[in-house]
């Protein structure tokens, strides 16, 4: 499976789209706002650039796509107003893999951008150069960098699992970690070349607190999907071998693993690093009773299954075919609902704010 070709969140605005099933990710963006606020304020007030180049990496398509860049623009515009400065021109790049639904983004762009905001879509992998040298002021990325550039090699012994799990042999955990190191260090190298001196980067990973990469806090969500797939294998709906050979190209790093790569690469200073958590179910977060979309319901199992389906469906379709999807996610919904009734179920988020050394 070519991750770069296959991976994308479900497009469009339908019931299984990312656009309609990304409230958890939105909540994370809301929670990490103070870190971005600090970064963009420091960035602008140390150099007062006449043009600010902003890039959001892994922007997907949906209500979250423009959330952060419009927040950056608002913050800088407010500072300018206060200081009586003329607002800079904003050049905004929205990046994601080529399979992303860029058309839906383009249709949602505000028509009147006041003549000082210029938006472009930028298809391509962030595990490679995306911009000319020293041309970007600030990079942002939320919930994207846990995706690896490829499924790690050497996972043959990860039978019955689809991600790192408590039953994964040590060589599987090692292969995942090495892929993360290779990918994230190359990401840092590319961005360090693209940023201007003093440029900044705020990155939020789906991650973990624990030092153990197979800890439940990051692996459980996929273990439950593996359960659904294994159930189908035992019922003969899918081949067991198919489940054995399927692995999710993700790595949910700990704060110290992220820091370690940043230090090794050497071009960035660490301004801040923070860990937060968010419940799997949107309804358990503060959206309760609020503006939850019509498609979201009080059925936590449904919400979580839909969220994970919007994220993982293209990967599953490419490996197992379309025919199994509805059944797999019905089973998953039931399994997830059962676990949520009995346990605390949270995603862990790690946010790091970096400055490009001058
Ligand atoms: N930032 C959005 C979307 C997160 S979903 C939000 O917070 O809601 C993660 C996105 O990262 C997906 O759209 C996926 O296609 C993208 N992504 C994963 N790997 C990528 C890569 N190597 N290069 C660019 N985008 C990538």
């Amino acid at each position: 499976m070519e991750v770069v070709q296959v991976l994308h969140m479900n497009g469009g605005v339908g019931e299984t789209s990312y656009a309609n099933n990304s409230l958890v990710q939105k909540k994370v963006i809301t929670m990490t706002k103070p870190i971005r606020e600090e970064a963009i304020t420091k960035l602008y007030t140390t150099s007062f650039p006449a043009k600010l180049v902003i890039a959001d990496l892994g922007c997907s398509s949906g209500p979250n796509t423009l959330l952060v860049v419009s927040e950056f623009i608002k913050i800088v515009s407010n500072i300018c107003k206060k200081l009586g400065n003329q607002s800079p021109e904003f050049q905004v790049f929205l990046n994601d893999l080529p399979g992303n639904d860029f058309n839906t983004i383009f249709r949602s762009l505000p028509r009147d951008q006041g003549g000082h905001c210029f938006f472009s879509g930028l298809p391509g992998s962030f595990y490679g150069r995306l911009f000319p040298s020293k041309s970007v002021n600030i990079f942002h990325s939320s919930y994207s960098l846990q995706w690896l550039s490829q499924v790690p090699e050497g996972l043959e012994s990860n039978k019955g699992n689809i991600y790192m799990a408590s039953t994964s042999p040590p060589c599987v955990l090692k292969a995942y970690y090495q892929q993360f190191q290779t990918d994230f260090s190359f990401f840092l190298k590319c961005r360090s070349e693209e940023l201007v001196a003093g440029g900044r980067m705020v990155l939020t990973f789906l991650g973990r607190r624990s030092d153990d990469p197979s800890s439940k806090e990051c692996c459980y969500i996929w273990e439950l999907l593996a359960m659904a797939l294994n159930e189908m294998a035992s019922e003969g709906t899918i081949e067991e071998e198919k489940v054995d050979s399927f692995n999710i190209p993700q790595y949910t790093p700990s704060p110290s693993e992220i820091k370690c790569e940043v230090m090794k690469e050497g071009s960035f200073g660490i301004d801040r690093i923070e860990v937060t958590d968010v419940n799997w179910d949107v309804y358990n977060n503060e959206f309760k009773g609020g503006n939850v979309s019509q498609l979201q319901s009080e059925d936590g199992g449904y919400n979580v299954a839909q969220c994970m389906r919007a994220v993982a469906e293209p990967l599953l379709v490419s490996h197992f075919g379309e025919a199994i999807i509805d059944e797999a996610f019905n089973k998953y919904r039931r399994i997830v609902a059962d676990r949520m009734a009995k346990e605390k179920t949270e995603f862990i988020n790690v946010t790091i704010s970096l400055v490009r050394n001058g």
Side-chain angles (χ1 to χ4, degrees):
M1 175 174 62
E2 270 290 324
V3 173
V4 170
Q5 301 299 326
V6 174
L7 180 66
H8 60 273
M9 307 298 102
N10 275 346
V13 290
E15 194 180 339
T16 60
S17 63
Y18 186 77
N20 263 312
N21 295 285
S22 46
L23 278 176
V24 168
Q25 293 88 338
K26 183 177 185 179
K27 166 79 181 159
V28 174
I29 291 175
T30 315
M31 285 164 51
T32 53
K33 182 176 175 181
I35 304 176
R36 282 189 305 275
E37 205 154 22
E38 184 182 308
I40 188 83
T41 303
K42 283 184 179 168
L43 175 81
Y44 182 68
T45 54
T46 47
S47 53
F48 300 100
K51 182 182 106 180
L52 256 181
V53 179
I54 301 171
D56 193 75
L57 307 176
C59 63
S60 195
S61 86
N64 303 350
T65 301
L66 293 172
L67 213 57
V68 169
V69 290
S70 49
E71 174 195 288
F72 279 150
I73 293 170
K74 214 186 268 168
I75 294 169
V76 172
S77 303
N78 283 340
I79 299 174
C80 290
K81 238 184 248 162
K82 257 193 222 147
L83 299 177
N85 288 356
Q86 197 183 355
S87 179
E89 289 186 319
F90 298 96
Q91 187 169 26
V92 176
F93 290 95
L94 300 168
N95 158 259
D96 208 290
L97 290 172
N100 185 51
D101 186 358
F102 282 99
N103 284 331
T104 296
I105 302 182
F106 293 146
R107 276 194 286 265
S108 73
L109 285 177
R111 253 183 239 140
D112 178 19
Q113 292 154 19
H116 67 292
C117 299
F118 305 91
F119 290 89
S120 313
L122 178 58
S125 172
F126 48 55
Y127 296 123
R129 284 290 297 270
L130 293 166
F131 294 92
S133 302
K134 298 187 186 0
S135 64
V136 178
N137 297 94
I138 185 162
F139 282 112
H140 173 263
S141 180
S142 189
Y143 260 47
S144 306
L145 271 161
Q146 71 274 6
W147 289 106
L148 298 170
S149 68
Q150 59 172 79
V151 177
E153 278 163 25
L155 300 187
E156 292 74 18
S157 54
N158 203 27
K159 293 197 182 349
N161 299 319
I162 62 167
Y163 186 55
M164 295 181 289
S166 47
T167 55
S168 296
C171 66
V172 166
L173 308 184
K174 195 168 158 213
Y176 265 105
Y177 182 47
Q178 280 177 346
Q179 189 65 48
F180 165 74
Q181 288 180 303
T182 307
D183 283 344
F184 188 48
S185 60
F186 190 52
F187 172 90
L188 289 168
K189 184 171 180 294
C190 293
R191 302 296 84 79
S192 76
E193 285 164 18
E194 295 164 351
L195 276 173
V196 301
R200 285 180 178 260
M201 202 149 69
V202 181
L203 313 173
T204 297
F205 294 74
L206 174 64
R208 65 176 203 273
R209 281 200 171 88
S210 159
D211 281 332
D212 171 13
S214 67
S215 110
K216 212 170 164 184
E217 59 180 351
C218 56
C219 300
Y220 202 39
I221 191 90
W222 294 119
E223 274 186 61
L224 302 184
L225 185 58
M227 269 183 209
L229 294 170
N230 283 323
E231 222 177 274
M232 289 173 78
S234 65
E235 290 162 4
T237 333
I238 49 182
E239 287 166 39
E240 199 175 303
E241 182 281 323
K242 275 276 173 196
V243 183
D244 289 346
S245 59
F246 182 68
N247 290 290
I248 297 284
Q250 234 184 42
Y251 187 81
T252 35
S254 68
S256 54
E257 286 172 344
I258 297 171
K259 263 197 247 173
C260 178
E261 293 313 310
V262 172
M263 315 270 263
K264 267 198 268 174
E265 197 278 333
S267 316
F268 294 93
I270 300 176
D271 204 20
R272 233 169 122 169
I273 181 155
E274 272 188 26
V275 182
T276 51
D277 42 57
V278 62
N279 199 287
W280 282 3
D281 177 24
V282 279
Y283 230 76
N284 262 309
N285 293 312
E286 70 210 36
F287 291 104
K288 207 164 201 161
N291 53 4
V292 173
S293 111
Q294 281 184 337
L295 294 169
Q296 309 284 347
S297 70
E298 272 195 70
D299 177 350
Y302 174 79
N303 294 340
V304 177
Q306 286 293 96
C307 169
M308 294 305 286
R309 179 171 179 165
V311 167
E313 183 167 347
L315 291 174
L316 287 160
V317 168
S318 118
H319 188 83
F320 295 99
E322 285 224 43
I324 67 125
I325 298 296
D326 282 338
E327 193 185 336
F329 281 97
N330 280 335
K331 282 186 187 294
Y332 186 54
R333 170 186 180 172
R334 187 177 36 72
I335 296 169
V336 166
D338 176 61
R339 298 329 305 164
M340 281 171 44
K342 297 177 180 141
E343 305 177 41
K344 193 169 148 197
T345 49
E346 281 171 340
F347 292 117
I348 311 295
N349 322 304
V350 185
T351 305
I352 189 161
S353 181
L354 301 169
V355 195
R356 175 76 171 95
N357 300 330

